[in-house]
Amino acid sequence: MSVLVVGTTALDSIKTPTAENPRLLGGSASHAAVAASFFAPVKLVGGVGEDFPPKYLALYRRHHIDLAGLQTMPGKTFHWSGEYESNMNNRRTLATELGVIETFSPTLPKAYQSVPFVLLGNIAPALQNHVLNQMTRTRFVVADSMDLWLNIALPDLLKLLKRLDGFVLNDSEAHQLTKTDNVFSALKKIHALGPKYVIIKKGSHGSILSGPKGFFICPAFPLSKVVDPTGAGDSFVGGMMGYLAAAKGPVDVNIRRAMVYGSVVASFCCEGFGLNRTTKTRHGDIKKRVKELEKLTRF
Amino acid sequence: MSVLVVGTTALDSIKTPTAENPRLLGGSASHAAVAASFFAPVKLVGGVGEDFPPKYLALYRRHHIDLAGLQTMPGKTFHWSGEYESNMNNRRTLATELGVIETFSPTLPKAYQSVPFVLLGNIAPALQNHVLNQMTRTRFVVADSMDLWLNIALPDLLKLLKRLDGFVLNDSEAHQLTKTDNVFSALKKIHALGPKYVIIKKGSHGSILSGPKGFFICPAFPLSKVVDPTGAGDSFVGGMMGYLAAAKGPVDVNIRRAMVYGSVVASFCCEGFGLNRTTKTRHGDIKKRVKELEKLTRF
């Protein structure tokens, strides 16, 4: 089955203590769509400006991503620039130019509306709701978000939460949303807002699922060098949704393994700037790291 | 086989946002010895003052801990008081009164010197070296430490590291010792200082082992309420050493499971002030949580 991915399609200028890379392909939808494409056909919903480099369209196409839902609009592509500290955990936004994304309000192509697996990647929750309104036969809907929307669009986000099967957020966002420091009591409070599956991402510490079958402690793949963590969270949820769309059987049974696959795709994402390393990854590389994670966690 | 445990035997006055508990039984050796006692006979090395409450001696005895190496000296017992913030991760030392520990330099009872499993719990590295000098037939020697010793006794600690089989430290100490932010590259640098087994503790995120058989990602048991994390790290390493001393076969084969048992004992430690919850734990409770952790990590 296919995965519909909506989110930002952006240009990222990323600075780390050792390097600087301007105008890379980035955005939540780009990372999630490429990650999902390793497992299942992907339909992308996004908006770019006239300055969007054709080579990035070619990159999507190499991953067999359906671009019927990618609109090119008059104006500039969303551009984010940020800087990482040496521990690669703390990042600082240097500039955000919304460009065409500011007025983006997509009408989905007919063929998109019946896609069963829907990933509402990080973008304004009003837009996530708007996309979801157009879907007719969803089987599993997951959304990601960020602190910005908790701050400036909480009512829209709370409305969205009631409509989701799964919600993915990081630990600091979980604390912000629930006013709870403890991850496990935060999870309970987030379930009460709607989603049956809640996943809290903890970066290099892995992630925690709380679902109908209880908790799952999902490991992160050990990396001794992180080049650029931008998009790792999007790659995680993209890989997970791609795996789920391709797997036989109920979500309940497959979601743990799906998270591990997502975690591995995220590890490749961290090993290069932007999508540089992810796009060079082969399915065999992913399988190999999943096997390694099995060994690394067995006792 | 037995475990020798040396470290501080202290009185802890602990303040959290919701409660205050003065003069609890604490110290690295107390937590580690009680944790180890669930699995193997324990011989304790420590020094207390004349003010040490007899009820705490009774507590050690209830755990069948050999007290031939516990000296009572003229003066006061080491007293630490500290305060936790609401997230239970950041703590602030309010006062440290060294008391008798300042001049403590134990001569081990004869029966202690041939114990095969040695846990050098957190205390001055000069004293850890001094105890190790008296051991004649060690099979597996592990030390724990803290930021204080990295700051004021690094040469002694580096000398100790060369003599250890295993070293346990937390992530911030690993960064301090190696000037490396990445846990996995820090592990490599710590191996170069001596120990074949290095374990980095990450609190509620679990721990990481690096040993002859590679990495092991050890989970923490999910707790939705942490009452007092003081001594959790000591309980972890104590439980691990107790399990190893009791298990048949080589350390290499048993250490992953030993860490999981240690992790579970640490989870009980966090559920009460001081040793209140740990001492109420039964072996069956520990086994049950280990089984749960197996389920929580399987994919």
Side-chain angles (χ1 to χ4, degrees):
Chain A
M1 282 185 267
S2 297
V3 185
L4 179 128
V5 175
V6 62
T8 55
T9 42
L11 300 174
D12 283 352
S13 296
I14 299 164
K15 227 171 137 172
T16 68
T18 53
E20 201 171 337
N21 277 267
R23 300 174 75 76
L24 295 160
L25 177 58
S28 60
S30 302
H31 281 281
V34 170
S37 76
F38 290 109
F39 311 101
V42 175
K43 293 187 187 309
L44 180 66
V45 181
V48 296
E50 289 151 326
D51 60 344
F52 194 70
K55 65 177 175 181
Y56 293 156
L57 294 174
L59 185 157
Y60 288 140
R61 284 196 194 100
R62 276 202 305 282
H63 284 272
H64 308 286
I65 295 168
D66 186 341
L67 300 180
L70 183 71
Q71 255 176 275
T72 305
M73 292 173 286
K76 291 208 163 189
T77 303
F78 173 46
H79 180 219
W80 176 80
S81 67
E83 185 172 8
Y84 284 89
E85 285 176 25
S86 69
N87 69 9
M88 290 293 173
N89 285 322
N90 304 329
R91 82 171 176 200
R92 205 158 57 91
T93 292
L94 299 173
T96 306
E97 299 151 77
L98 290 178
V100 298
I101 215 97
E102 201 164 358
T103 54
F104 179 53
S105 180
T107 302
L108 301 193
K110 192 89 189 147
Y112 275 46
Q113 297 172 11
S114 56
V115 170
F117 287 82
V118 178
L119 171 48
L120 306 168
N122 173 32
I123 198 163
L127 201 145
Q128 293 175 314
N129 273 308
H130 172 74
V131 167
L132 192 50
N133 290 342
Q134 298 172 61
M135 302 304 295
T136 56
R137 275 195 288 177
T138 61
R139 202 179 134 190
F140 197 64
V141 181
V142 168
D144 197 351
S145 197
M146 73 181 290
D147 52 355
L148 175 69
W149 310 120
L150 294 172
N151 290 329
I152 69 167
L154 188 58
D156 288 337
L157 183 62
L158 292 175
K159 198 176 123 193
L160 179 71
L161 284 175
K162 293 197 183 81
R163 311 174 68 191
L164 299 176
D165 298 295
F167 185 46
V168 177
L169 71 176
N170 70 34
D171 42 2
S172 65
E173 291 155 9
H175 300 161
Q176 192 183 336
L177 181 61
T178 63
K179 319 278 178 247
T180 307
D181 281 312
N182 182 291
V183 165
F184 298 97
S185 51
L187 281 164
K188 269 179 226 163
K189 291 192 179 181
I190 302 169
H191 281 305
L193 298 173
K196 217 160 99 178
Y197 295 84
V198 182
I199 293 171
I200 294 183
K201 297 174 288 182
K202 308 190 295 172
S204 62
H205 303 304
S207 56
I208 308 273
L209 162 74
S210 173
K213 294 198 172 175
F215 296 132
F216 170 53
I217 301 172
C218 178
F221 189 84
L223 293 178
S224 54
K225 194 172 157 54
V226 171
V227 174
D228 169 22
T230 312
D234 308 307
S235 302
F236 166 72
V237 66
M240 178 185 91
M241 288 298 277
Y243 183 91
L244 283 175
K248 283 183 186 117
V251 166
D252 233 10
V253 173
N254 298 321
I255 193 161
R256 289 175 166 222
R257 227 174 159 73
M259 284 174 67
V260 175
Y261 272 85
S263 184
V264 163
V265 179
S267 75
F268 285 111
C269 173
C270 290
E271 290 185 304
F273 271 94
L275 278 152
N276 290 353
R277 177 69 184 92
T278 314
T279 51
K280 285 197 195 87
T281 306
R282 287 162 314 166
H283 198 267
D285 303 330
I286 297 169
K287 271 194 140 163
K288 208 177 141 200
R289 285 200 176 173
V290 168
K291 274 222 159 84
E292 280 181 64
L293 268 184
E294 272 180 40
K295 279 189 210 154
L296 290 172
T297 53
R298 199 180 293 149
F299 60 88
Chain B
M1 281 185 267
S2 298
V3 185
L4 179 128
V5 175
V6 62
T8 56
T9 42
L11 300 174
D12 283 352
S13 295
I14 299 164
K15 227 171 137 172
T16 67
T18 54
E20 201 170 336
N21 278 268
R23 299 174 75 78
L24 296 160
L25 176 58
S28 60
S30 302
H31 281 282
V34 170
S37 77
F38 290 109
F39 312 100
V42 175
K43 294 188 187 306
L44 179 66
V45 181
V48 296
E50 290 151 327
D51 59 345
F52 194 70
K55 66 176 176 182
Y56 293 156
L57 293 174
L59 187 156
Y60 289 140
R61 283 196 195 100
R62 277 202 304 282
H63 284 273
H64 308 285
I65 294 169
D66 186 340
L67 301 180
L70 184 71
Q71 254 176 275
T72 305
M73 292 174 285
K76 292 208 162 188
T77 303
F78 173 46
H79 180 219
W80 175 81
S81 67
E83 185 172 9
Y84 284 90
E85 287 176 22
S86 69
N87 69 9
M88 289 293 172
N89 285 322
N90 304 330
R91 82 172 177 199
R92 205 158 58 91
T93 293
L94 299 172
T96 305
E97 298 151 78
L98 290 178
V100 299
I101 214 99
E102 201 164 357
T103 54
F104 179 53
S105 180
T107 302
L108 301 194
K110 191 90 188 146
Y112 275 45
Q113 297 172 10
S114 56
V115 170
F117 287 82
V118 179
L119 171 48
L120 308 168
N122 173 31
I123 197 163
L127 201 145
Q128 293 173 314
N129 273 308
H130 173 73
V131 168
L132 192 50
N133 290 342
Q134 298 172 60
M135 302 304 295
T136 56
R137 275 194 288 177
T138 60
R139 200 178 135 193
F140 196 64
V141 181
V142 168
D144 197 350
S145 197
M146 73 181 290
D147 52 356
L148 175 69
W149 310 120
L150 294 173
N151 290 328
I152 69 167
L154 188 58
D156 287 337
L157 183 61
L158 292 175
K159 198 177 126 194
L160 179 71
L161 284 175
K162 292 198 183 79
R163 311 173 67 191
L164 299 175
D165 298 295
F167 185 47
V168 177
L169 70 176
N170 70 31
D171 41 3
S172 64
E173 290 155 9
H175 299 163
Q176 191 183 335
L177 180 60
T178 62
K179 319 276 178 248
T180 307
D181 282 311
N182 182 291
V183 164
F184 298 97
S185 51
L187 281 164
K188 267 179 227 162
K189 290 191 179 179
I190 302 169
H191 281 304
L193 298 173
K196 216 160 100 178
Y197 295 84
V198 182
I199 293 171
I200 294 183
K201 297 175 289 183
K202 307 190 297 171
S204 62
H205 303 305
S207 56
I208 308 273
L209 161 74
S210 173
K213 292 197 172 177
F215 296 131
F216 170 53
I217 301 172
C218 179
F221 189 84
L223 293 179
S224 55
K225 193 172 157 56
V226 171
V227 174
D228 169 21
T230 312
D234 307 309
S235 302
F236 166 73
V237 67
M240 178 186 91
M241 287 299 276
Y243 184 92
L244 283 175
K248 283 183 186 117
V251 166
D252 232 10
V253 172
N254 297 322
I255 193 160
R256 290 176 166 222
R257 227 174 159 72
M259 285 174 67
V260 174
Y261 272 84
S263 184
V264 163
V265 179
S267 75
F268 285 112
C269 173
C270 290
E271 289 185 305
F273 271 95
L275 277 153
N276 291 352
R277 177 68 183 94
T278 314
T279 52
K280 285 197 196 87
T281 305
R282 288 163 314 166
H283 199 267
D285 302 330
I286 297 169
K287 270 194 142 162
K288 209 177 139 200
R289 284 200 176 173
V290 169
K291 274 223 159 83
E292 281 181 63
L293 268 183
E294 272 180 39
K295 279 188 210 154
L296 290 172
T297 53
R298 198 180 294 148
F299 62 86

